[in-house]
């Protein structure tokens, strides 16, 4: 049935058997799938690229709003744009994916995920999402895929861009950027950006809950980024990357205070995100390119909330700070049309936390080799990697893939790959209510993936279909009561269960009909725990997105729909999250060469829906603004 759907969908594409070879566009260059620029026509992995133009045209107010409408992506959020969020790729939980900013790995070693709500969308130039295991390239946690964010870079004449806007829920934003280069033999490229975004918000907890504080839960986010590079000589370049973001977001804690006798404390999360890198790129010979990068990322959280009841009620601050220091040396050596890649990496993670049990460190030393082969219509790759952790020892992963171009615009892929996820510090050492929650001898999850893909791109129309099956052993889950030594882990635990299975079909298509651009995607998936055959929490069996954009003169307008079937708040439990459908509108008008006005209506029909049980989501939103230039 899924294959029948996929092929009937493909048959509806115009010019599906065109003999014209696809023309490569800038957005067709993908870096993440091989750690080196590669045309999408040569990819042996399933990938999505979100360009700068698509980000600007969407009018989205956060990265999670933007990702929610992408193929293979599901979002969970505990409230509005400033609230904590999780991103699932192909049914894999947030801890089972790697997130990068310009090659810098970000995220918390305690939660296992990045603070999505702290990432400033205004500083992003493009996003690449590569689905499926990429452990041989990126090591631990690249089970469901890798999402890489690219900030703006400078090139050409100086360009100034700025925008400002306001909307419902008291939302306001302003940003500005400057980018360019000096040119010449010693070319100096530069890009700078600053932004501020805020909203009065709404109560993130739904009415009627004991822990709901009816006040508005707003947020303020301030961010800045810089990208610099200098050509020392032809083929030799030094670069620097910096991104900082600070978020002050209000929330309702899980503690109920006596109404009428005490004001609720204004609970809030103070988050900081930092990503910094120094890079040296050197072409030593026409066939040998080397890249050395030294980087640091910081994920800091101060959670300030009321705790206790009655006379014992007090204000508590919890601190969870992660620092990741990394150094990587990548060598790309060409053999005619083929490429040999050798990689050495070292990553040091450290946590500074309120709980002494979480103040830990671990180091991972990695070495990897990959070979990419091109022979006419045939594409192939093989790679192997070893990650040696000071915490759980050595893990070796491998992958092999083959692609065949059976027509100028058509390609079929097949691949096998292994992967693993290391336990978070919470899953190993966390304490709950004074009792241990993490289990120090928890083992890494291990995954295997088999995938078949079919792709079409003639420059006007695109189609993709990927069928995948990914069993995961030693799945780590949270449980209360804990089935392992319940007397010791009296307040629950995180522990390894037998196995989970992620399987499904993801389909995407797009075409241009004159001034009309159409896009559609459908995900049919079955992510479940094989130990009890229950659907994994907060993941839908079906989700889809539809979009249409129309350009007429200075006007551009578009509509998108995001659809999801029901989910469960807990794995296979009785707490059901109903399915939902959202419709969003966006439009822009170019006033002249430099100035334009834009607007977005989110959740047009004011749908009441939940991404997490008992947490409110935005109703109908309107946001309008003015933009100068285009970054």
């Amino acid at each position: 049935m899924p294959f029948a759907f996929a092929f009937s969908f493909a048959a509806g594409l115009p010019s599906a058997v065109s003999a014209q070879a696809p023309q490569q566009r800038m957005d067709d260059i993908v870096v993440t799938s091989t750690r080196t620029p590669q045309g999408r026509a040569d990819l042996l992995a399933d990938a999505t690229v979100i360009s700068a133009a698509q980000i600007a045209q969407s009018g989205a107010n956060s990265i999670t709003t933007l990702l929610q409408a992408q193929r293979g992506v599901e979002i969970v959020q505990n409230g509005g744009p400033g609230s904590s969020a999780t991103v699932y790729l192909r049914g894999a939980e947030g801890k089972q994916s790697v997130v990068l900013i310009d090659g810098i790995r970000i995220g918390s070693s305690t939660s296992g995920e990045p603070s999505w709500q702290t990432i400033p969308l205004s500083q992003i130039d493009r996003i690449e999402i590569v689905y499926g295991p990429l452990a041989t390239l990126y090591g631990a946690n690249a089970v469901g895929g890798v999402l890489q964010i690219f900030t703006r870079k400078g090139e050409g004449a100086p360009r100034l861009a700025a925008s400002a806007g306001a909307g419902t829920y008291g939302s306001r934003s302003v940003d500005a950027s400057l980018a360019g280069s000096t040119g010449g033999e010693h070319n100096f490229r530069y890009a700078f950006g600053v932004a501020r975004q805020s909203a009065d918000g709404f109560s993130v907890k739904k009415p009627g809950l004991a822990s709901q504080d009816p006040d508005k839960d707003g947020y303020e986010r301030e961010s800045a980024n810089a990208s610099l590079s200098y050509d020392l000589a032809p083929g030799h370049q030094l670069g620097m990357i910096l991104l900082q973001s600070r978020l002050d977001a209000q929330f309702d804690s899980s503690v109920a205070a006596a109404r009428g006798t005490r004001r609720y404390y204004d609970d809030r999360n103070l988050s900081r995100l930092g990503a910094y890198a120094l890079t040296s790129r050197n072409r030593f010979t026409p066939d040998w390119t080397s890249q050395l990068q030294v980087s640091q990322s910081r994920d800091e959280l101060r959670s300030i909330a009321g705790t206790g009841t009655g006379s014992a009620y007090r204000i508590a601050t919890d601190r969870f700070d992660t620092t990741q220091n990394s150094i990587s040396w990548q060598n790309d050596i060409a053999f005619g049309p083929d490429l040999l890649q050798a990689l050495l990496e070292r990553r040091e993670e450290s946590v500074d936390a309120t709980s002494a049990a979480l103040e830990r460190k671990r180091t991972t030393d990695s070495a990897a080799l990959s070979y990419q082969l091109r022979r006419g219509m045939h594409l192939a790759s093989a790679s192997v990697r070893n990650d040696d952790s000071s915490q759980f020892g050595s893990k070796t992963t491998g992958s092999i893939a083959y692609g065949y171009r059976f027509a100028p615009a058509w390609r079929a892929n097949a691949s096998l790959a292994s992967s693993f996820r290391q336990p978070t510090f919470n899953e190993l050492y966390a304490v709950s209510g004074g009792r241990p929650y993490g289990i120090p001898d928890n083992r890494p999850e291990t995954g295997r993936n088999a995938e078949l893909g079919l792709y079409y791109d003639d420059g006007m129309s695109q189609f993709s279909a990927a069928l995948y099956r990914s069993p995961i052993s030693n799945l780590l889950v949270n449980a209360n009561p804990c089935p392992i030594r319940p007397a010791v882990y009296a307040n629950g635990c995180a522990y390894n269960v037998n196995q989970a299975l992620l399987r499904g079909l993801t389909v995407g298509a797009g075409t241009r009909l004159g001034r009309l651009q159409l896009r559609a995607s459908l995900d049919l998936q079955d992510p479940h725990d094989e130990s009890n055959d229950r659907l994994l929490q907060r993941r839908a069996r079906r989700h889809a997105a539809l979009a249409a954009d129309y350009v007429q003169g200075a006007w551009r307008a578009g509509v998108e729909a995001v659809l999801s079937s029901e989910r469960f708040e807990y794995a296979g439990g009785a707490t059901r999250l109903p399915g939902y459908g959202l419709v969003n509108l966006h439009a822009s008008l170019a006033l002249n060469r430099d100035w334009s006005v834009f607007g977005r209506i989110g959740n047009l029909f004011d749908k009441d829906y939940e991404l997490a049980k008992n947490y409110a989501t935005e109703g109908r939103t309107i946001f309008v603004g003015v933009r100068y230039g285009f970054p």
Side-chain angles (χ1 to χ4, degrees):
M1 179 66 179
F3 273 124
F5 172 84
F7 281 108
S8 64
F9 199 9
L13 289 175
S15 306
V17 292
S18 169
Q20 298 296 317
Q23 295 182 352
Q24 193 173 74
R25 303 177 298 272
M26 190 64 187
D27 293 339
D28 286 334
I29 303 299
V30 179
V31 176
T32 309
S33 62
T34 58
R35 295 183 69 127
T36 190
Q38 187 178 37
R40 294 179 80 176
D42 295 331
L43 289 186
L44 291 173
D46 190 21
T48 292
V49 177
I50 310 172
S51 68
Q54 290 172 322
I55 294 173
Q57 292 160 13
S58 72
N61 61 352
S62 68
I63 188 171
T64 50
T65 301
L66 178 73
L67 293 175
Q68 188 178 27
Q70 304 304 314
R71 176 170 62 88
V73 179
E74 293 178 275
I75 300 296
V76 172
Q77 192 148 359
N78 296 340
S83 303
S84 60
T86 295
V87 175
Y88 299 130
L89 298 182
R90 277 194 184 175
E93 65 174 310
K95 303 170 190 174
Q96 295 170 327
S97 298
V98 169
V99 181
L100 308 167
I101 296 179
D102 292 324
I104 306 164
R105 188 173 184 135
I106 65 169
S108 166
S109 294
T110 52
S111 70
E113 303 179 52
S115 54
W116 289 99
Q117 63 278 10
T118 312
I119 299 174
L121 183 60
S122 58
Q123 310 288 1
I124 297 175
D125 182 65
R126 60 186 262 131
I127 298 173
E128 294 180 1
I129 307 170
V130 182
Y131 306 96
L134 289 177
T136 55
L137 293 176
Y138 298 101
N141 305 350
V143 178
V146 174
L147 188 149
Q148 182 157 200
I149 295 163
F150 294 88
T151 58
R152 294 167 186 160
K153 305 296 184 290
E155 193 64 72
R159 307 185 314 278
L160 177 64
S163 72
T168 49
Y169 298 116
S171 58
R172 303 166 293 276
S173 73
V174 60
D175 63 79
S177 65
L178 173 66
S181 64
T182 61
E185 180 179 351
H186 299 290
N187 192 14
F188 176 63
R189 303 171 187 85
Y190 54 89
F192 304 96
V194 293
R196 188 178 190 278
Q197 190 173 15
S198 64
D200 298 335
F202 52 88
S203 180
V204 299
K205 289 285 186 72
K206 288 204 162 185
L209 297 174
S211 59
Q212 194 245 1
D213 182 354
D215 72 337
K216 295 179 180 179
D217 297 309
Y219 73 94
E220 294 181 354
R221 179 171 53 233
E222 297 173 335
S223 59
N225 79 290
S227 174
L228 305 173
S229 68
Y230 179 71
D231 291 345
L232 298 171
H236 298 273
Q237 182 186 105
L238 291 177
M240 184 194 79
I241 295 166
L242 178 150
L243 173 68
Q244 290 192 132
S245 180
R246 178 187 180 276
L247 174 71
D248 182 347
Q250 300 165 297
F251 71 98
D252 292 345
S253 75
S254 59
V255 175
R259 298 182 189 276
T261 60
R262 161 187 308 277
R263 289 181 58 85
Y264 273 66
Y265 177 72
D266 189 14
D267 304 324
R268 59 185 58 238
N269 285 328
L270 303 177
S271 306
R272 291 181 184 270
L273 167 68
Y276 321 97
L278 294 174
T279 304
S280 175
R281 295 182 176 89
N282 305 94
R283 182 177 291 277
F284 293 114
T285 72
D287 298 324
W288 174 24
T289 301
S290 171
Q291 176 173 305
L292 180 68
Q293 177 169 284
V294 179
S295 65
Q296 181 184 87
S297 69
R298 300 182 64 87
D299 187 297
E300 302 177 355
L301 171 64
R302 302 290 188 279
S303 186
I304 308 170
T307 183
T309 58
S311 60
Y313 186 81
R314 62 186 179 87
I315 307 303
T317 299
D318 288 320
R319 182 180 74 257
F320 306 92
D321 295 348
T322 295
T323 300
Q324 298 190 63
N325 294 314
S326 301
I327 181 169
S328 68
W329 184 31
Q330 178 178 321
N331 291 273
D332 297 337
I333 304 170
F335 293 93
D338 300 348
L339 184 68
L340 172 67
Q341 188 177 90
L343 178 70
L344 293 174
E345 286 187 326
R346 180 179 178 88
R347 181 163 60 99
E348 300 175 348
E349 301 170 74
S350 62
V351 170
D352 180 20
T354 307
S355 170
L358 290 174
E359 292 195 330
R360 307 276 178 158
K361 296 181 179 180
R362 65 183 170 200
T363 300
T364 304
D365 294 314
S366 308
L369 279 174
S370 69
Y371 194 87
Q372 302 168 37
L373 178 145
R374 294 173 178 83
R375 294 290 185 276
M377 296 180 293
H378 302 273
L379 306 168
S381 70
S383 56
V384 63
R385 177 178 174 124
N386 180 262
D387 293 277
D388 188 9
S389 169
S390 61
Q391 187 176 71
F392 56 79
S394 178
K395 297 290 290 185
T396 298
T397 53
S399 70
I400 187 168
Y402 172 73
Y404 180 69
R405 297 192 188 98
F406 57 89
W410 286 96
R411 184 181 80 256
N413 290 353
S415 64
L416 297 171
S418 59
S419 60
F420 71 100
R421 178 177 82 82
Q422 61 188 356
T424 67
F425 283 21
N426 281 348
E427 292 166 333
L428 294 168
Y429 310 118
V431 175
S432 175
R435 307 297 293 271
Y437 186 88
I439 299 178
D441 57 0
N442 274 334
R443 303 179 303 280
E445 300 176 347
T446 58
R448 303 179 306 279
N449 183 72
E451 187 165 327
L452 296 173
L454 180 65
Y455 303 91
Y456 173 85
D457 189 343
D458 67 354
M460 291 291 290
S461 300
Q462 301 82 38
F463 168 79
S464 67
L467 184 68
Y468 60 92
R469 187 179 190 276
S470 303
I472 299 173
S473 302
N474 295 326
L475 181 72
L476 282 158
V477 299
N478 298 288
N480 190 8
C482 180
I484 301 174
R485 291 176 285 174
V488 175
Y489 300 99
N491 294 322
C493 67
Y495 74 105
N496 293 108
V497 299
N498 184 22
Q499 187 162 289
L501 179 62
L502 311 177
R503 60 184 176 187
L505 172 71
T506 177
V507 179
T511 190
R512 183 178 295 278
L513 301 173
R515 300 178 183 275
L516 184 65
Q517 177 74 48
L518 301 174
R519 300 185 307 277
S521 66
L522 173 67
D523 285 275
L524 306 174
Q525 61 183 26
D526 182 25
H528 67 274
D529 182 345
E530 289 206 300
S531 65
N532 53 26
D533 199 28
R534 292 182 174 179
L535 194 67
L536 295 174
Q537 69 178 128
R538 293 177 172 175
R539 273 149 277 191
R541 293 187 185 276
R542 299 173 301 280
H543 54 98
L546 305 168
D549 292 289
Y550 186 78
V551 179
Q552 178 63 53
W555 282 95
R556 178 183 293 272
V559 57
E560 67 180 14
V562 178
L563 310 168
S564 176
S565 63
E566 66 180 12
R567 294 134 293 130
F568 294 99
E569 176 67 10
Y570 306 105
T575 305
R576 190 181 303 269
L577 297 172
Y580 63 88
L582 306 177
V583 176
N584 308 311
L585 304 178
H586 60 85
S588 64
L589 171 64
L591 303 177
N592 54 39
R593 179 179 175 180
D594 295 320
W595 291 92
S596 62
V597 292
F598 63 92
R600 175 182 170 94
I601 301 178
N603 194 2
L604 176 64
F605 299 110
D606 202 24
K607 174 72 175 179
D608 183 14
Y609 68 105
E610 290 178 309
L611 296 175
K613 188 64 178 177
N614 295 327
Y615 284 93
T617 51
E618 290 180 306
R620 183 185 299 110
T621 60
I622 300 175
F623 191 88
V624 295
V626 59
R627 180 182 292 123
Y628 174 80
F630 186 78

